[in-house]
């Protein structure tokens, strides 16, 4: 839990007779990240492989994906188990709807094209519906006509070769001599006109509108029939096609692996990373399915293993924040649990208002419900939803909302303690800790507490760094971190003495302790890290003091809320229009402060962990563990079947 999963690299050597079975097992076990085989081993297994199955399966996959793209979606109620490629191919042979689907798709495209074409013709006809003459007089061998939006510049279009007919609805018909078309187009290009061509048709506008509407109606009737046919096919085949498509995707993925692993005429070899805890299970399954002919062994390597995090279910959402920063290496601490416990506290303390905390909680729950149960029609403006989804995807947004739930609950708790409810104090006098919100009346105490928090976290970070460095035999770096702890505490002791006006003379015991820790720490850092590392002394002091930003952000929110509320209260004794203005200031100001209460504590809370804490022990740069497998939605693994 506090460290990534222990990984081992294995080599599997087996007979080609069982190669497909072994790959199928590997896929369904979903615990191995397959790697390139060692060059020395690959030299032995260097026979080119001809894989005829791959093209056949890939072609079928492309065809069945096409089926799914055409058929209306249906729920898949059961998962199907395919025991072999032969069984899958037998199921494929029973799906004989390719010709019918192709015909329906072609008809659907054709009639939709007819509707679009008729709608294109209808648009200008509806604009000039008041034109009573035959349309042939507007377009023939001698003249052509355009519809142009009427405006004060239309007089510029009255030339020797044009006739302008005002339709009285904001549009005009401009009829020109065909030989003057270049000159006319040049004229209108220099102006701001909305222009479209009058369709080249015979008959009256009314008759042509009726004709086009009839064409559209008939086309829609045909489309309705096509939809009925597609729905009938979906009802009968969609579930089976979805199951076949998923299994084809799996077999194609397996064939790709088969084509790339090292092979000889009779045997094959493959390598990959698996969790150490899975070794016995993998060995048991592969030996059983190969009649004990496969050889599996752990191989020594200097490669860095991939990283697989292992945290309790309710803490897994915080792995998102660790991946965002950098994955840990296998040998170092996984800070997910620490982040999950500390970030909500920092966030809640910096918000420090029960009202804001409650709003953040409700919005977080709404986001999660909205993503899990999307409505048929959203009432949220599209621009806002697009902007949010442009910043982060739905899954990331849901993860963030889940992370803010404990943070908002802690904000509510601190708000109750601080007597903060949207900046208002609501406790009756006998129960008030102070007449004003606690953060305003106890600034000094809160700053001291935040300083101690900073010292504790910087120290804890160095302690984790010491353990990490001893684990990887970087003993000098570990001892140097002890020196940094001594220096950090020395600065804290001397700083507190200065604040409390205690003598800094060595004759004062506490000051003497501070000087001793400072000198010893200084010497240890110089000896084990070198003199250049002393440039980091200011950063140690700043990292401890940086935690006072917790109080700074809290105070900024509290003071802003107080100002907004004070302005609002001041308008209550004024005329009603000032009261209305006060309400507007209250609502807008509180919304603005709420936005700050989400972003600032979130960013600064994460920063205190990423920069001031992680930098003391965290190396990062781990590679994500990517096991060979698939997320099955419509089919069963062989192990599920058993």
């Amino acid at each position: 839990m506090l460290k990534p999963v222990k990984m081992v690299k294995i080599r599997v050597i087996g007979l080609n007779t069982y190669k497909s079975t072994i790959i199928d097992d590997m896929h369904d076990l979903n615990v191995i990240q397959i790697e390139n085989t060692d060059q020395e081993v690959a030299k032995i297994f260097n026979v080119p492989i001809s894989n005829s199955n791959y093209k056949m399966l890939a072609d079928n996959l492309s065809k069945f994906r096409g089926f799914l793209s055409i058929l209306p979606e249906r729920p898949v109620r059961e998962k199907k188990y395919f025991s072999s490629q032969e069984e899958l191919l037998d199921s494929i042979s029973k799906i004989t709807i390719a010709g019918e689907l192709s015909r329906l798709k072609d008809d659907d495209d054709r009639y939709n094209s007819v509707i679009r074409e008729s709608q294109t013709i209808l648009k200008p006809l509806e604009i000039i519906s008041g034109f009573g003459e035959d349309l042939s007089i507007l377009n023939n061998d001698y003249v052509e006509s355009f519809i142009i939006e009427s405006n004060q510049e239309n007089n510029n279009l009255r030339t020797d070769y044009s006739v302008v007919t005002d339709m009285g609805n904001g549009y005009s018909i401009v009829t020109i001599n065909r030989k003057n078309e270049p000159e006319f187009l040049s004229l209108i290009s220099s102006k701001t006109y909305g222009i479209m061509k009058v369709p080249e048709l015979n008959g009256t506008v009314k008759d042509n509108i009726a004709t086009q509407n009839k064409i559209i109606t008939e086309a829609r009737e045909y489309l309705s029939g096509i939809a009925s046919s597609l729905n009938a096919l979906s009802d009968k085949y969609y579930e089976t096609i979805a199951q076949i498509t998923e299994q084809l995707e799996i077999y194609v993925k397996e064939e790709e692996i088969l084509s790339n692993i090292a092979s000889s005429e009779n045997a094959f070899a493959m390598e990959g990373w698996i969790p150490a805890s899975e070794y016995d299970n993998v060995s048991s399954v592969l030996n059983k399915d190969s009649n004990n002919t496969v050889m599996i062994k752990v191989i020594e390597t200097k490669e860095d293993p991939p990283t697989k995090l292992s945290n309790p279910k309710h803490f897994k959402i915080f792995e998102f924040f660790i991946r965002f920063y950098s994955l840990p290496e296998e040998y170092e601490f996984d800070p997910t649990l620490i982040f999950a416990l500390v970030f909500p506290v920092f966030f809640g303390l910096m918000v420090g208002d029960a009202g804001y905390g409650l709003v953040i909680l409700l919005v977080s729950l709404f986001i999660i419900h909205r993503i899990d149960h999307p409505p048929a029609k959203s009432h949220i403006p599209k621009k806002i939803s697009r902007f949010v989804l442009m910043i982060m995807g739905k899954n990331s947004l849901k993860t963030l909302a889940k992370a803010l739930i404990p943070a908002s609950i802690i904000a509510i708790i601190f708000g109750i303690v601080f007597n903060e409810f949207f900046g208002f104090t609501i406790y009756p006098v006998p129960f008030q800790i102070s007449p004003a919100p606690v953060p305003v009346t106890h600034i000094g105490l809160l700053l001291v507490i935040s300083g101690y928090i900073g010292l504790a976290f910087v120290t804890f970070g160095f302690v984790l760094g010491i353990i990490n460095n001893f684990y990887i035999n970087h003993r000098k770096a570990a001892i140097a971190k002890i020196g940094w702890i001594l220096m950090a505490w020395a600065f804290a002791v001397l700083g507190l003495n200065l604040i409390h006006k205690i003598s800094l003379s060595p004759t004062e015991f506490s000051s003497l302790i501070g000087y001793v820790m400072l000198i010893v720490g200084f010497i240890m850092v110089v000896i084990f890290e070198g003199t250049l590392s002393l440039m980091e002394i200011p950063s140690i002091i700043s990292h401890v003091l940086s935690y006072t930003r917790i109080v700074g952000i809290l105070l900024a929110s509290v003071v802003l809320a107080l100002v907004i509320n004070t302005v609002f209260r001041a308008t209550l004794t004024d005329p009603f229009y000032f009261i209305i203005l006060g309400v507007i200031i209250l609502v807008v100001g509180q919304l603005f402060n709420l936005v700050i209460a989400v972003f600032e504590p979130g960013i600064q809370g994460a920063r205190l962990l990423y920069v001031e804490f992680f930098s003391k022990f965290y190396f990062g740069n781990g590679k994500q563990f990517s096991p060979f497998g698939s997320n099955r939605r419509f089919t069963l693994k062989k192990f599920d079947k058993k």
Side-chain angles (χ1 to χ4, degrees):
M1 184 165 63
L2 286 176
K3 281 201 169 187
V5 174
K6 173 70 176 175
M7 308 295 291
V8 293
K9 193 171 188 180
I10 64 169
R11 179 178 295 142
V12 179
I13 298 177
L15 298 175
N16 284 340
T17 306
Y18 299 103
K19 183 164 60 173
S20 295
T21 303
I22 297 299
I23 295 298
D24 198 38
D25 285 343
M26 289 292 194
H27 177 276
D28 281 0
L29 286 168
N30 197 25
V31 294
I32 182 170
Q33 178 176 306
I34 298 175
E35 303 281 340
N36 292 329
T37 310
D38 182 82
Q39 290 184 355
E40 295 301 318
V41 176
K43 288 179 182 177
I44 302 171
F45 297 86
N46 60 355
V47 176
I49 300 173
S50 176
N51 193 340
S52 58
N53 269 354
Y54 178 79
K55 186 177 187 311
M56 179 269 295
L57 291 169
D59 288 345
N60 274 302
L61 175 58
S62 177
K63 180 173 71 174
F64 273 74
R65 281 176 174 168
F67 292 168
L68 289 181
S69 69
I70 297 171
L71 291 172
E73 189 173 353
R74 293 289 185 272
V76 178
R77 296 180 177 83
E78 294 182 3
K79 291 186 175 184
K80 182 174 176 59
Y81 174 64
F82 292 94
S83 60
S84 64
Q85 289 189 14
E86 288 71 23
E87 182 182 350
L88 177 66
L89 293 174
D90 181 61
S91 296
I92 289 173
S93 67
K94 296 175 183 177
I95 306 296
T96 57
I97 60 172
E100 186 175 2
L101 272 183
S102 178
R103 177 183 60 78
L104 289 171
K105 181 67 169 64
D106 289 344
D107 288 347
D108 185 81
D109 290 342
R110 183 170 69 257
Y111 287 116
N112 273 306
S113 177
V114 167
I115 290 174
R116 287 193 298 271
E117 184 178 344
S118 290
Q119 288 174 337
T120 301
I121 295 171
L122 272 176
K123 184 176 180 180
L125 290 179
E126 288 171 347
I127 292 174
I128 61 171
S129 58
F131 186 79
E133 305 298 327
D134 194 293
L135 286 171
S136 62
I137 68 171
L138 297 179
N139 290 287
N140 50 52
D141 293 338
Y142 305 101
V143 298
E144 59 181 327
S145 299
F146 301 87
I147 301 171
I148 295 179
E149 291 182 65
S150 300
N151 57 51
Q152 60 184 3
E153 296 180 344
N154 274 29
N155 289 329
N156 297 330
L157 301 177
R158 298 180 186 276
T159 65
D160 294 338
Y161 55 80
S162 68
V163 175
V164 178
T165 306
D166 189 352
M167 298 304 301
N169 59 355
Y171 292 89
S172 298
I173 299 175
V174 180
T175 304
I176 65 168
N177 193 311
R178 282 189 179 273
K179 66 181 181 181
N180 297 110
E181 181 182 0
E183 184 179 349
F184 173 74
L185 294 177
S186 175
L187 173 63
I188 64 171
S189 66
S190 63
K191 306 293 182 180
T192 306
Y193 291 108
I195 182 171
M196 66 183 75
K197 187 85 165 54
V198 175
E200 297 189 6
L201 300 168
N202 295 318
T204 64
V205 173
K206 182 179 179 181
D207 290 342
N208 277 282
I209 288 177
T211 300
Q212 297 304 322
N213 281 326
K214 182 180 179 182
I215 291 172
I216 290 173
T217 300
E218 291 175 349
R220 284 175 175 163
E221 288 175 356
Y222 281 116
L223 287 175
S224 178
I226 292 169
S228 296
S229 298
L230 289 174
N231 281 318
L233 289 173
S234 265
D235 292 338
K236 186 175 181 180
Y237 293 107
Y238 188 91
E239 183 173 70
T240 303
I241 290 173
Q243 294 163 344
I244 290 172
T245 303
E246 183 172 272
Q247 191 63 45
L248 280 168
E249 288 171 346
I250 291 168
Y251 279 146
V252 166
K253 190 183 292 186
E254 291 179 359
E255 293 295 332
E256 288 173 348
I257 295 295
L258 285 168
S259 299
N260 291 306
I261 62 175
S263 295
S264 67
E265 291 182 0
N266 301 307
F268 71 94
M270 61 183 297
E271 296 177 0
W273 292 97
I274 65 170
S277 59
E278 294 285 350
Y279 178 78
D280 290 341
N281 182 45
V282 171
S283 298
S284 173
V285 170
L286 298 190
N287 276 302
K288 181 180 179 181
D289 286 352
S290 65
N291 289 324
N292 294 312
T293 60
V294 72
M295 183 181 76
I296 308 171
K297 61 177 291 189
V298 176
I299 56 177
E300 297 295 328
T301 178
K302 293 182 179 180
E303 297 176 51
D304 292 327
T307 300
K308 180 182 180 182
L309 302 180
S310 176
N311 290 288
K313 179 181 177 181
H314 295 295
F315 292 96
K316 281 188 175 294
I317 57 171
F318 290 94
E319 291 179 358
F320 166 81
F321 298 93
I322 303 305
R323 290 192 178 94
F324 177 79
Y325 182 74
S326 181
L327 280 172
E329 296 278 8
E330 183 196 56
Y331 58 80
E332 62 179 323
F333 287 102
D334 172 10
T336 302
L337 185 60
I338 298 171
F339 193 101
L341 294 174
V342 174
F343 173 78
V345 176
F346 282 176
F347 182 95
L349 183 54
M350 282 186 273
V351 173
D353 188 293
Y356 295 149
L358 179 61
V359 173
I360 295 169
L361 174 62
L362 294 176
V363 171
S364 298
L365 293 173
F366 170 77
I367 290 172
I368 295 168
H369 182 269
R370 189 63 173 262
I371 292 174
D372 289 341
H373 306 89
K377 184 177 181 181
S378 174
H379 296 288
I380 299 175
K382 288 185 178 180
K383 289 185 178 179
I384 294 177
S385 59
R386 285 173 184 169
F387 175 74
V388 172
L389 294 175
M390 180 180 67
I391 297 174
M392 59 176 61
K394 287 185 178 180
N395 290 335
S396 299
L397 186 62
K398 183 178 176 181
T399 299
L400 182 60
K402 286 184 175 180
L404 286 178
I405 289 176
S408 58
I409 292 172
I410 293 173
I412 293 171
I413 294 170
F414 276 118
I416 294 171
V417 173
F418 292 159
N419 194 13
E420 271 279 302
F421 302 85
F422 296 108
F424 294 102
T425 55
I426 64 172
Y427 296 155
V429 174
F431 302 98
Q432 284 186 349
I433 299 174
S434 61
V438 172
V440 176
T441 57
H442 294 75
I443 296 175
L445 175 61
L446 291 173
L447 284 172
V448 171
I449 292 173
S450 65
Y452 281 125
I453 292 173
L455 182 61
F457 269 90
V458 168
T459 303
F460 183 37
F462 278 129
V463 169
L464 294 179
I466 291 168
I467 297 171
N468 265 350
N469 281 289
F470 268 118
Y471 184 80
I472 58 176
N473 291 319
H474 290 177
R475 299 188 183 278
K476 287 186 176 182
I479 296 172
K481 290 186 183 297
I482 297 174
W484 284 114
I485 292 176
L486 291 173
M487 291 176 68
W489 277 86
F491 289 128
V493 170
L494 295 174
L496 286 171
N497 282 356
L498 183 63
I499 291 171
H500 294 296
K501 298 181 181 179
I502 298 174
S503 174
L504 295 180
S505 170
T507 56
E508 174 63 39
F509 180 73
S510 59
S511 296
L512 177 62
I513 294 296
Y515 290 128
V516 171
M517 288 192 295
L518 182 62
I519 293 169
V520 173
F522 184 90
I523 293 171
M524 292 175 71
V525 169
V526 170
I527 291 174
F528 294 103
E529 279 194 355
T531 55
L532 287 177
S533 63
L534 297 176
M535 296 175 64
E536 294 297 318
I537 290 177
S539 70
I540 295 301
I541 300 172
S542 69
H543 284 182
V544 173
L545 295 177
S546 185
Y547 283 80
T548 60
R549 76 180 62 221
I550 295 173
V551 178
I553 293 168
L554 171 63
L555 281 172
S557 178
V558 169
V559 172
L560 181 56
L562 281 174
V563 171
I564 294 166
N565 296 343
T566 302
V567 172
F568 167 69
R569 285 194 184 102
T571 63
L572 295 179
T573 56
D574 294 329
F576 76 94
Y577 45 84
F578 278 108
I579 296 176
I580 294 173
L581 179 61
V583 171
I584 293 172
I585 291 173
L586 178 68
V587 173
V588 174
Q590 291 288 0
L591 286 173
F592 176 73
N593 206 19
L594 178 62
V595 172
I596 294 176
V598 174
F599 285 97
E600 274 299 306
I603 293 170
Q604 298 302 332
R607 182 194 183 281
L608 287 173
L609 289 165
Y610 287 154
V611 179
E612 279 77 9
F613 181 58
F614 285 8
S615 61
K616 307 298 179 292
F617 69 94
Y618 198 59
F619 297 102
N621 296 319
K623 298 174 294 183
Q624 176 71 39
F625 175 62
S626 301
F628 172 56
S630 301
N631 177 28
R632 291 180 184 260
R633 296 185 299 157
F634 311 131
T635 57
L636 291 169
K637 302 177 182 178
K638 62 169 64 175
F639 309 113
D640 295 332
K641 186 66 177 177
K642 290 177 182 177

